[in-house]
Amino acid sequence: MTRRFDAIILGAGQAGTPLAGRLSEAGMTVALVERRLLGGTCVNTGCKPTKTWVASAYAAHMARRAADFGVTINGEIGIDFAKVRARADQIAADSRASLRRWIDTMANCTLFFGHARFESPQRVRVGDDLLEAERIFLNVGGRALVPDMPGVADVPFLTNSTILKLDAVPRHLVVVGGSYIGLEFGQMFRRFGAEVTIVEKGPKLIGREDPEISDAVRDILEREGIVVRTEAECIRFERAGEEVRIGVDCQEGSPDVLGSHVLLAVGRQPNTDDLGLAAAGVETDERGYVKVDDRLSTSVPGVWALGDCNGRGAFTHTAYNDFEIVADNLLDGADRKVTDRIPAYALYIDPPLGRVGMGEVEAKKAGHAIQVGHRPMTRVGRAVEKDETLGFMKLVTDADTGRILGGAILGTSGDEAIHGVLDLMVKDGTASDLAHAVHIHPTVSELLPTIAGERKPA
Ligand SMILES: Cc1cc2nc3c(=O)[nH]c(=O)nc-3n(C[C@H](O)[C@H](O)[C@H](O)COP(=O)(O)OP(=O)(O)OC[C@H]3O[C@@H](n4cnc5c(N)ncnc54)[C@H](O)[C@@H]3O)c2cc1C
């Protein structure tokens, strides 16, 4: 049966559901199609469960450090892993239930559960239903990339989704991939009591960052007993009884590592291979990301792509911003563009890294003469009071204009405090604007005006 709507949205992820709300509020009839769980990656296998686990890992870490603060714990500090998992599962379930309640209040929205596939530019099949609309929005997200590394098919491995189903803490977790997802899982499992090795092909962890950030992050992880193996040029896998041997061919140290579990965290791939995009003529790039213009239109008029599947962002806040761009342009006659967005993100190890705009290396590459304000967390009062003094804060500005180009706070509350820099960048602020702000004492943020006033050529 063919059913006609004003709009079809494929994927109830971070952009799809709010878009369904806005379009339905504007009086459009909307079909929202989800093949698995409402909320997509963030709610079910990404941000929410991982940050809930990170919170449990932090509690364990602080309990072990209790004596440093004059707090006595009599008895052993243990991990009730079933409870750790149940807590995260409950938060994800609550979030899905809340989304369901929200969708049910959308007057003109019909929710379909099933896999959607294009049959033509304006037609999508979901099971027995053929849906038709002049506007189709893709919000199909992505999944863990399983790399074509030697032996990978012969061994059991975990991804960010399956690791959340573990019943017990692994004896030795080997994380393949030294980037954001891998580092978060690595540190939390170390704090849950596992031996952890992080294996990275490149010379540095989180290789996109300034080298001093990569080095400081490595130091933070190594202090907790995590083994980091970089320059693992030829990663390969083989079974070793119940365990897995991971060949790392590093330049020094043992040539392989024996793990009880392997987590593959080497990147993501978009869910566009089984969407029938060819039937609609929607173009993708060589990695499968849907090609979009600045306003997120695809190569086919009337089809937009939002969130991770367009390759223009890889975060919940960027997916949500895609929704805002598309909805405001369509419904309010706005002219918002994805290129207006200032890149910002966090790495949720402890202490976290909050990042915005360009790093030092990137700014120089872009041709800026730069100045840098810098301060170690050992000289941030709030960090000292909390006895959480690892890391540093850093501000990068244009030497000629004083414009703020970017910033990084690797340190306690860095994920929150970085917004002081971000908000000013949104208004094209300068280092003098920041230097003149009076921040609350005692906070991490209060040192931002200080480092803005102490910049030096770099
Ligand atoms: C371990 C991990 C931790 C993360 N932590 C953070 C974090 O702390 N902060 C942050 O900002 N981001 C984080 N992210 C990234 C964040 O989860 C994603 O950027 C975000 O979920 C992208 O939203 P989306 O709407 O584009 O896609 P998704 O949330 O993936 O939603 C896509 C939806 O489309 C559905 N779908 C796919 N194909 C079809 C089809 N053919 N038919 C019907 N439905 C379909 C999927 O089932 C899914 O529900 C993390 C990701 C991971 C993996």
Side-chain angles (χ1 to χ4, degrees):
M1 185 177 77
T2 305
R3 301 179 61 174
R4 256 208 91 71
F5 294 88
D6 293 322
I8 301 170
I9 300 170
L10 307 187
Q14 296 306 303
T17 308
L19 183 63
R22 276 288 298 276
L23 297 180
S24 148
E25 221 174 77
M28 290 189 196
T29 53
V30 179
L32 174 62
V33 188
E34 172 52 53
R35 73 175 173 190
R36 229 183 129 245
L37 298 171
L38 297 179
T41 307
C42 180
V43 166
N44 301 293
T45 56
C47 339
K48 262 187 198 292
T50 57
K51 268 79 252 183
T52 309
W53 286 35
V54 162
S56 292
Y58 180 70
H61 181 66
M62 291 310 277
R64 291 186 193 109
R65 292 193 56 206
D68 296 347
F69 299 85
V71 176
T72 316
I73 296 179
N74 292 317
E76 220 178 285
I77 292 152
I79 304 293
D80 180 347
F81 193 63
K83 190 151 182 193
V84 169
R85 203 183 120 179
R87 203 176 144 260
D89 290 349
Q90 189 59 54
I91 286 173
D94 289 348
S95 187
R96 283 195 300 274
S98 148
L99 284 168
R100 183 63 206 238
R101 283 195 296 277
W102 184 25
I103 293 166
D104 287 345
T105 65
M106 295 176 190
N108 302 310
C109 178
T110 309
L111 178 62
F112 292 84
F113 277 106
H115 179 88
R117 191 185 291 273
F118 275 99
E119 294 211 338
S120 73
Q122 297 191 348
R123 281 211 192 93
V124 170
R125 175 163 297 283
V126 184
D128 293 338
D129 290 305
L130 194 58
L131 314 181
E132 199 175 63
E134 278 174 20
R135 300 170 200 84
I136 298 183
F137 303 91
L138 312 180
N139 177 225
V140 291
R143 60 184 185 275
L145 177 77
V146 176
D148 189 17
M149 287 171 172
V152 74
D154 307 327
V155 298
F157 59 79
L158 300 163
T159 64
N160 68 284
S161 305
T162 54
I163 198 169
L164 298 173
K165 303 283 176 218
L166 282 179
D167 290 325
V169 176
R171 177 189 73 74
H172 184 173
L173 178 68
V174 179
V175 178
V176 179
S179 200
Y180 307 85
I181 291 173
L183 300 190
E184 290 177 12
F185 277 114
Q187 190 189 45
M188 75 173 91
F189 272 96
R190 179 69 191 141
R191 291 179 170 191
F192 293 149
E195 250 184 85
V196 173
T197 302
I198 295 172
V199 181
E200 163 58 41
K201 213 163 76 173
K204 300 241 179 234
L205 299 177
I206 44 169
R208 280 207 312 208
E209 304 294 344
D210 284 346
E212 71 168 327
I213 295 181
S214 300
D215 292 345
V217 163
R218 180 174 185 152
D219 174 61
I220 287 166
L221 299 174
E222 286 179 337
R223 279 167 184 262
E224 295 190 25
I226 293 171
V227 176
V228 177
R229 304 292 305 267
T230 44
E231 303 201 67
E233 301 265 314
C234 177
I235 300 168
R236 59 194 183 281
F237 306 87
E238 88 189 11
R239 269 186 189 272
E242 292 292 290
E243 308 225 309
V244 179
R245 190 181 311 282
I246 299 100
V248 291
D249 263 12
C250 296
Q251 288 176 348
E252 49 191 51
S254 161
D256 47 38
V257 181
L258 198 63
S260 61
H261 294 72
V262 177
L263 170 66
L264 295 180
V266 293
R268 310 275 300 162
Q269 75 176 88
N271 292 325
T272 52
D273 45 345
D274 52 4
L275 200 51
L277 287 179
V282 173
E283 288 175 15
T284 57
D285 68 15
E286 63 289 348
R287 295 195 300 152
Y289 289 99
V290 179
K291 287 189 189 168
V292 288
D293 64 16
D294 268 3
R295 290 161 188 82
L296 305 176
S297 293
T298 68
S299 53
V300 174
V303 181
W304 290 260
L306 301 82
D308 283 11
C309 71
N310 66 24
R312 305 293 284 264
F315 302 100
T316 285
H317 47 279
T318 50
Y320 191 83
N321 181 233
D322 284 0
F323 141 66
E324 294 175 318
I325 291 168
V326 167
D328 289 359
N329 290 351
L330 207 64
L331 301 174
D332 299 341
D335 185 27
R336 297 184 66 175
K337 299 191 288 290
V338 72
T339 38
D340 292 336
R341 184 159 71 210
I342 295 170
Y345 52 88
L347 162 66
Y348 291 92
I349 58 161
D350 168 44
L353 168 69
R355 276 278 292 112
V356 57
M358 287 190 258
E360 196 176 328
V361 173
E362 196 186 347
K364 280 183 186 161
K365 243 190 225 158
H368 292 276
I370 61 165
Q371 292 189 319
V372 172
H374 195 284
R375 195 171 191 96
M377 296 308 278
T378 46
R379 292 182 56 220
V380 174
R382 189 68 198 277
V384 173
E385 289 143 16
K386 292 167 79 176
D387 196 4
E388 297 189 15
T389 53
L390 293 178
F392 55 83
M393 55 207 296
K394 179 171 172 180
L395 188 72
V396 180
T397 64
D398 183 281
D400 300 322
T401 62
R403 269 185 64 227
I404 300 174
L405 300 174
I409 305 180
L410 173 65
T412 182
S413 300
D415 53 330
E416 298 286 351
I418 197 67
H419 288 89
V421 181
L422 174 57
D423 291 345
L424 209 51
M425 286 179 71
V426 169
K427 287 287 169 202
D428 217 9
T430 64
S432 319
D433 295 328
L434 182 53
H436 291 159
V438 179
H439 283 189
I440 296 167
H441 174 75
T443 58
V444 171
S445 301
E446 77 176 315
L447 273 306
L448 285 172
T450 313
I451 61 169
E454 292 175 349
R455 287 163 296 130
K456 293 196 173 56

